[in-house]
Amino acid sequence: MKKLRVGILFGGRSGEHEVSLLSAASVLQAIDRKKYDVHLIGITRDGRWLTAGDAAHLLPSSTAAPQQLRAGDPEATPGAALLESGEEVLVAPMPARAEHAGSSLATLRSSAETSLNVDVIFPVLHGTFGEDGTVQGLFELADIAYVGSGVLGSSAGMDKDVMKRLFAAAKLPIPKHVTVLRRDWQESPRKTTGSIEAALRYPMFVKPANLGSSVGISKAHDRKELKTAVDLAASYDRKIVIEQSIGGRRGKARELEVAVLGNDSPQASVVGEVIPCKEFYDYEAKYLSEGSELIIPAPLTKAQTKQVQQMAIDAFRACDCAGMARVDFLMEPGKPSSARSKKIFLNEVNTLPGFTSISMYPKLWQATGLPYSQLIDRLIEFALERHQEKKNNRYDL
Ligand SMILES: Nc1ncnc2c1ncn2[C@@H]1O[C@H](COP(=O)(O)OP(=O)(O)O)[C@@H](O)[C@H]1O
Ligand SMILES: [Mg+2]
């Protein structure tokens, strides 16, 4: 039987380029080559698309086993070579075209020869241009099956302002928040500060609406910090979301995460908990420093676990997600079973969550009884199912 041709798309122009390389390296190691013909498609930081050997050059060196990669996981060993220079993941140098193509004409010819056909694409991309619906739009135009959410689910899951509106419409509990436009902030900072302070108490979390990996996010404890925080967030996006901190001045929110898998009848995994090593789960706590902990299953009562799993499925549906999403929660701090029950709020959905074999999403499925390579199989099946289901639409009058 002909093997299914799977394109693994990775890299990309977002700030999460390196995280994507780590996720893709893990997928490549685990994907069942007996079932699939695997094709690499790499996107460089500046947006060039590469295939085959050129794409493989982008990946972390094959000598680094995925368990050595530190992508947000404290159990990973210092991993090293890959992250020792701080924020930079050391990847192989950009493919030197000149090595195998003497002239630009030869380069053109060689790229025409390497055009490829695939049956399904697994976009192992995170953040802007990968998780936000843009690349999904390209797949739709090309009528190709792909893993994960469609254009709408992806972009809704990327935009923290729109996502909160959808959660609110589904009556899902979310932290108190306001959304501010960059233009209003820049033209009338005093008035804007007044309206933020009228709506929310300090400390507040200030976020660019459309980013991930905690980039551009800060916790503001007073008016001075609020100004710096909004200036920073406004350098990343025209919309800025400001939220009241769960936990307030008393303590850090507990951070719960659930993996959801499926299309029209999605399933929820066991619940996991992240204990960041810093004041909040910022970029450094996620990827660079050791000490953040992942606890699976999260210490919760049975009723709380059920509640969180149901909320995860409701959030997945509210954003019209497909295939997969990791749904993240914030819970008031303190003992879960203490007299006053602790409130649980939805934080966000991540439609292309970190996907190394030691990242939360695959680990949650592992703990639920679905090992990593079978998870990849399921995601591919759901991609094909969704693509097939669309064939029921008619496009004529
Ligand atoms: N309202 C909030 N209350 C308490 N902590 C928060 C709040 N919002 C964000 N955080 C902290 O900031 C981190 C990053 O925020 P998040 O909205 O998840 O952004 P990202 O999409 O970049 O992951 C969270 O994991 C949590 O540690
Ligand atoms: Mg988050």
Side-chain angles (χ1 to χ4, degrees), residues 4 119-120 145-147 261-266 322-323 377-392:
L4 197 72
D119 301 304
V120 56
Y146 55 96
V147 167
L261 176 68
N263 287 334
D264 290 341
S265 26
D377 293 341
R378 301 289 289 138
L379 286 168
I380 291 172
E381 284 162 27
F382 283 123
L384 297 172
E385 177 193 275
R386 189 160 182 275
H387 188 241
Q388 196 56 42
E389 210 279 331
K390 271 206 177 159
K391 299 238 179 317
N392 296 329

Side-chain angles (χ1 to χ4, degrees), residues 43-102:
I43 308 175
T44 64
R45 256 178 201 300
D46 54 358
R48 285 184 302 138
W49 289 52
L50 309 170
T51 54
D54 286 348
H57 275 115
L58 281 180
L59 290 170
S61 105
S62 54
T63 52
Q67 53 271 31
Q68 283 183 299
L69 309 177
R70 205 191 287 167
D73 192 288
E75 282 171 29
T77 58
L82 286 169
L83 286 169
E84 70 190 0
S85 64
E87 305 206 349
E88 274 294 308
V89 175
L90 304 180
V91 295
M94 295 284 281
R97 287 267 177 189
E99 263 172 34
H100 50 85

Side-chain angles (χ1 to χ4, degrees), residues 253-257 272-276 280-281 329-331 347:
R254 291 182 65 190
E255 305 204 34
L256 308 173
E257 304 191 345
E273 178 161 9
V274 181
I275 305 194
F280 70 96
Y281 206 29
F329 300 83
L330 296 163
M331 183 176 179
N347 179 26

Side-chain angles (χ1 to χ4, degrees), residues 135-184:
V135 86
Q136 287 75 11
L138 181 65
F139 304 147
E140 290 291 341
L141 290 172
D143 191 21
I144 189 162
Y146 55 96
V147 167
S149 290
V151 174
L152 178 68
S154 301
S155 53
M158 192 71 190
D159 187 306
K160 294 185 196 305
D161 170 54
V162 170
M163 179 164 40
K164 284 183 198 302
R165 294 172 200 250
L166 295 174
F167 290 161
K171 303 210 166 18
L172 288 161
I174 51 174
K176 265 190 169 174
H177 69 284
V178 289
T179 298
V180 162
L181 293 181
R182 173 161 60 201
R183 200 195 54 185
D184 293 340

Side-chain angles (χ1 to χ4, degrees), residues 160 207 214 217 243-244 246 255 281 286 347-348:
K160 294 185 196 305
K207 315 176 179 182
S214 300
I217 296 186
E243 292 175 29
Q244 193 149 302
I246 304 304
E255 305 204 34
Y281 206 29
K286 277 178 182 169
N347 179 26
E348 59 169 346

Side-chain angles (χ1 to χ4, degrees), residues 29 41 88 115 135 140 170 210 235 259 272 349 370:
Q29 250 200 2
I41 311 164
E88 274 294 308
S115 75
V135 86
E140 290 291 341
N210 280 281
S235 71
V349 301
L370 186 65

